[in-house]
C-alpha cells in the first residue's frame, strides 16, 4: 500500500516475467545432459564443476551459475529445473523449465551422422528434440488457446545460445572456415524455424542469442595455434574465428528481422553475446579479471591451460585457486564471473535489441 495526501492507493506489484523457458546447449544446460545418461561418468557430474556457488556439481558446465541463472535471479524467479528432472518426477515447476542439453546442436543429429561425424556428438537431443519436450509439457500447462496466451504473456523464452556446437564438432575434426561458412545458412534457418514454432505455440517475448567470440576460447587458441602473429588481434584472440562468429551473428540478425515482420505482435530480441563477452576480453581488469582471460582456470597445462588429454575434471588437470579472476573456465566454457557480466549486459542493456520489456527487480 502507498499512503498519499489523497488517501490510500493500492500499489500494483512490479511487472515482471513469471516464468522462463530455456533451450540450447551447455551455455544454458542446468542438468539435462547429466540426467540423460548420455555418458557413463561425465566430468561435469563432479567437482570442480559447480564448486563456486553450488559447492557441488549440478550438471552445469561451469564453476557456478550460468547466464540463465542470473536472468532468473534478476526477476526473483527460482533457478530453472532441467526438463528431464520433471520427466522423472524429481522436481516441480511453476516458473519455467530448462530444455537445454550440453553438446546439443541446432541441426538434427542425423545431419552429422550422414556426414560421418555423428560419433563425436555428445548428445542427439538437438533443438527439435527440445521443442518436442516443450510441446509435451505445454499440454500440462494450459489447454485452450486463450489459457495458453494468458500463461505465456508473462513468459520469457530463451532460444539458445544454440548453433555453436554445429560448428565446434566439424571444426574439431578438421573442417575449414570456408567449409563451415557454407553451413551457416542451415544453422540460422533451424534457429529461426524453432523461434517461429514457439511463437506459433504462444510465445510472445523471445531472446535469441548470437554466438560468443570463439577465437578467444582456449580450445580454439590451442587447436589452431599459429606462429603467425598477424592471425591474432590486440587481445590475443584468433581473428579468423572471431570473424566467423560475427558472420553467423550477422546472418542470424538479418533472419530475425524478417521474422519480426512475419510476427509483429511478438517481441523478438537479439542478444549480443559476442559484444557482451568481447568487453572483458578487451579490458579484463575493468571487469575484475586478471590479464589471463584467454587461459582456462581448470585444465591440464599448455599455453592456454587446455590439454585435450587432461581436460578439466580428468586425471592430470587441476582448477585454479580463484576462478573469480578468470573468464575462461575449462577451455570450452566460461566462468560464473564471465556469465554474470554477459547476463548483466542483457538484463541492464545495451546487449539486447530491442531491450527486455521488464526491468530487473534485483541486481546480481
Amino acid at each position: 500500500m502507498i499512503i498519499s495526501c489523497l488517501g490510500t492507493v493500492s500499489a500494483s506489484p512490479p511487472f515482471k516475467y513469471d516464468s522462463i523457458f530455456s533451450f540450447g546447449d551447455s551455455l544454458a544446460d542446468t542438468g539435462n545432459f547429466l540426467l540423460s545418461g548420455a555418458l557413463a561418468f561425465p566430468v561435469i557430474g563432479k567437482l570442480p564443476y559447480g564448486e563456486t556457488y553450488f559447492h557441488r556439481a549440478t550438471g552445469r558446465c561451469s564453476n557456478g551459475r550460468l547466464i540463465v541463472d542470473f536472468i532468473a535471479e534478476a526477476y526473483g524467479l527460482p533457478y530453472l529445473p532441467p526438463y528431464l528432472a520433471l520427466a522423472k518426477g524429481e522436481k516441480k515447476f511453476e516458473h519455467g523449465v530448462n530444455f537445454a542439453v550440453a553438446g546439443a546442436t541446432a541441426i538434427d543429429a542425423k545431419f552429422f551422422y550422414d556426414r560421418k561425424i555423428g560419433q563425436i556428438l555428445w548428445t542427439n537431443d538437438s533443438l527439435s528434440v527440445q521443442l518436442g519436450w516443450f510441446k509435451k509439457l505445454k499440454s500440462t500447462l494450459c489447454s485452450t488457446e486463450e489459457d495458453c496466451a494468458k500463461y505465456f504473456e508473462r513468459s520469457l523464452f530463451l532460444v539458445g545460445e544454440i548453433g555453436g556446437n554445429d560448428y565446434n564438432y566439424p571444426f574439431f575434426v578438421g573442417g575449414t572456415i570456408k567449409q563451415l561458412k557454407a553451413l551457416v545458412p542451415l544453422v540460422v534457418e533451424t534457429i529461426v524455424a524453432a523461434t517461429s514454432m514457439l511463437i506459433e505455440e504462444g510465445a510472445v517475448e523471445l531472446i535469441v542469442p548470437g554466438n560468443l567470440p570463439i577465437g578467444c576460447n582456449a580450445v580454439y587458441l590451442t587447436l589452431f595455434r599459429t606462429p603467425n602473429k598477424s592471425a591474432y588481434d590486440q587481445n590475443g584472440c584468433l581473428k579468423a574465428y572471431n570473424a566467423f562468429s560475427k558472420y553467423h551473428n550477422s546472418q542470424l540478425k538479418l533472419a530475425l528481422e524478417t521474422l519480426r515482420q512475419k510476427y509483429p505482435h511478438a517481441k523478438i530480441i537479439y542478444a549480443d553475446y559476442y559484444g557482451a563477452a568481447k568487453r572483458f576480453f578487451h579490458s579484463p581488469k575493468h571487469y575484475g579479471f586478471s590479464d589471463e582471460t584467454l587461459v582456462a582456470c581448470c585444465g591440464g597445462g599448455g599455453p592456454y591451460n587446455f590439454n585435450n588429454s587432461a581436460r578439466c575434471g580428468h586425471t592430470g588437470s587441476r582448477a585454479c585457486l580463484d576462478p573469480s579472476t578468470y573468464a575462461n573456465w575449462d577451455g570450452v566454457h566460461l566462468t560464473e564471473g564471465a556469465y554474470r557480466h554477459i547476463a548483466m549486459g542483457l538484463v541492464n542493456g545495451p546487449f539486447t535489441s530491442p531491450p527486455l520489456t521488464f526491468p530487473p527487480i534485483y541486481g546480481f
Side-chain angles (χ1 to χ4, degrees):
M1 288 294 197
I2 298 170
I3 309 294
S4 78
C5 56
L6 300 172
T8 306
V9 181
S10 278
S12 57
F15 286 109
K16 69 179 189 78
Y17 303 104
D18 290 335
S19 56
I20 299 171
F21 295 92
S22 166
F23 302 82
D25 56 27
S26 56
L27 267 65
D29 184 1
T30 54
N32 282 315
F33 180 80
L34 214 52
L35 290 162
S36 74
L39 280 180
F41 303 104
V43 290
I44 62 167
K46 60 182 186 181
L47 291 168
Y49 285 86
E51 66 175 15
T52 297
Y53 181 79
F54 301 99
H55 308 297
R56 62 184 176 85
T58 60
R60 288 167 174 81
C61 293
S62 186
N63 59 309
R65 291 163 289 182
L66 310 177
I67 296 164
V68 66
D69 296 316
F70 287 114
I71 293 173
E73 278 185 26
Y75 293 101
L77 297 173
Y79 299 133
L80 300 189
Y83 170 76
L84 293 178
L86 305 178
K88 292 179 177 179
E90 290 172 23
K91 296 225 174 157
K92 298 272 183 289
F93 71 93
E94 284 168 27
H95 298 285
V97 180
N98 198 337
F99 301 96
V101 184
T105 50
I107 302 169
D108 281 351
K110 183 183 182 300
F111 175 89
F112 298 95
Y113 281 98
D114 288 348
R115 280 151 187 78
K116 306 287 183 282
I117 56 168
Q119 70 283 358
I120 64 166
L121 264 60
W122 270 36
T123 178
N124 293 336
D125 294 330
S126 64
L127 192 50
S128 69
V129 173
Q130 296 174 30
L131 292 172
W133 291 345
F134 168 74
K135 282 184 174 176
K136 207 168 164 185
L137 185 74
K138 185 189 166 189
S139 62
T140 69
L141 299 175
C142 53
S143 45
T144 68
E145 206 171 311
E146 199 182 342
D147 274 354
C148 292
K150 204 172 175 191
Y151 189 92
F152 292 133
E153 71 180 355
R154 297 268 287 268
S155 297
L156 182 63
F157 284 76
L158 197 52
V159 192
E161 180 277 332
I162 190 82
N165 288 323
D166 296 67
Y167 309 130
N168 288 340
Y169 292 124
F171 270 139
F172 297 165
V173 292
T176 66
I177 288 176
K178 191 180 175 186
Q179 286 170 331
L180 271 290
K181 260 188 152 178
L183 188 58
V184 171
L186 183 56
V187 173
V188 166
E189 189 185 304
T190 309
I191 296 167
V192 168
T195 308
S196 177
M197 193 219 87
L198 289 168
I199 295 169
E200 295 284 352
E201 291 288 335
V204 286
E205 185 153 351
L206 309 96
I207 297 179
V208 186
N211 280 352
L212 289 163
I214 58 172
C216 301
N217 219 331
V219 60
Y220 277 85
L221 287 161
T222 302
L223 292 178
F224 306 113
R225 200 175 168 211
T226 170
N228 177 7
K229 286 193 169 66
S230 67
Y232 299 90
D233 66 15
Q234 79 269 34
N235 307 313
C237 303
L238 285 163
K239 288 193 283 196
Y241 290 92
N242 275 355
F244 178 83
S245 290
K246 280 164 109 169
Y247 177 69
H248 164 92
N249 294 344
S250 67
Q251 296 305 300
L252 180 61
K253 280 191 276 191
L254 282 173
L256 292 179
E257 197 44 60
T258 306
L259 203 62
R260 288 185 188 109
Q261 287 158 19
K262 187 179 175 186
Y263 299 107
H265 74 284
K267 188 169 189 177
I268 302 165
I269 300 164
Y270 173 72
D272 182 10
Y273 279 19
Y274 185 101
K278 203 73 173 68
R279 293 183 306 172
F280 52 73
F281 288 119
H282 185 62
S283 312
K285 293 245 164 88
H286 183 74
Y287 295 94
F289 298 119
S290 73
D291 284 328
E292 301 288 297
T293 43
L294 304 179
V295 176
C297 159
C298 181
Y304 301 99
N305 198 28
F306 179 83
N307 177 347
N308 214 18
S309 57
R311 295 192 310 277
C312 182
H314 289 271
T315 308
S317 73
R318 62 190 179 90
C320 62
L321 292 175
D322 187 4
S324 70
T325 64
Y326 283 73
N328 224 306
W329 167 241
D330 59 4
V332 180
H333 309 99
L334 302 180
T335 58
E336 175 181 278
Y339 287 138
R340 180 175 163 269
H341 283 299
I342 294 172
M344 281 171 75
L346 306 185
V347 171
N348 302 323
F351 295 102
T352 39
S353 172
L356 291 159
T357 297
F358 302 122
I361 295 170
Y362 302 101
F364 46 78

